[in-house]
Amino acid sequence: MRYQKPVNIQTLLQDSPLAKIVQKGIRLNELNQQVNGFFPPEFKDLYRIANIEQNSLRIEVANAMVRQSFLFRQQELLIQQHLPEITQLTFYINPEFRRGA
């Protein structure tokens, strides 16, 4: 430690794991706002984008009825969506999901 070169704190923070987590959180928040336009309006506040991976979008839903409805519309949603890299939607029921949370 004593012989290390000084490091620019801004560079250190930009490349840190925490910065990457914050950037992913911001991206997920923006994505949640975008999807409100092409997901069914009757399910507003009953789902949220939980994670985005290589070609998959993980969506948490409030209950089995919402999940089943999304599964019936899955092909339609994939065609409509604005993210061409997403080829799979994965729906998870989250019992802790609170409306408006």
Side-chain angles (χ1 to χ4, degrees):
M1 284 247 208
R2 185 170 146 182
Y3 299 106
Q4 288 184 347
K5 299 183 342 182
V7 178
N8 183 346
I9 189 73
Q10 199 168 27
T11 305
L12 183 65
L13 289 176
Q14 286 176 349
D15 297 335
S16 73
L18 178 61
K20 291 177 182 171
I21 291 170
V22 169
Q23 289 171 351
K24 188 170 184 176
I26 290 169
R27 178 165 160 75
L28 287 174
N29 190 28
E30 290 171 352
L31 200 54
N32 270 308
Q33 292 173 0
Q34 287 177 353
V35 297
N36 283 334
F38 58 86
F39 277 6
E42 59 267 15
F43 296 123
K44 186 176 193 280
D45 297 330
L46 296 176
Y47 64 90
R48 71 174 159 234
I49 306 300
N51 200 2
I52 185 168
E53 293 171 355
Q54 294 171 339
N55 63 346
S56 177
L57 200 59
R58 179 182 169 158
I59 303 168
E60 289 184 348
V61 295
N63 56 46
M65 182 187 77
V66 175
R67 180 182 181 272
Q68 195 63 33
S69 179
F70 277 129
L71 287 174
F72 284 135
R73 298 178 184 196
Q74 186 169 4
Q75 280 303 98
E76 176 186 336
L77 293 170
L78 283 170
I79 292 170
Q80 284 183 9
Q81 80 172 250
H82 304 293
L83 299 167
E85 69 271 14
I86 301 299
T87 58
Q88 179 183 5
L89 300 176
T90 308
F91 301 98
Y92 292 93
I93 299 170
N94 180 357
E96 300 296 318
F97 189 90
R98 288 185 174 60
R99 188 178 182 139

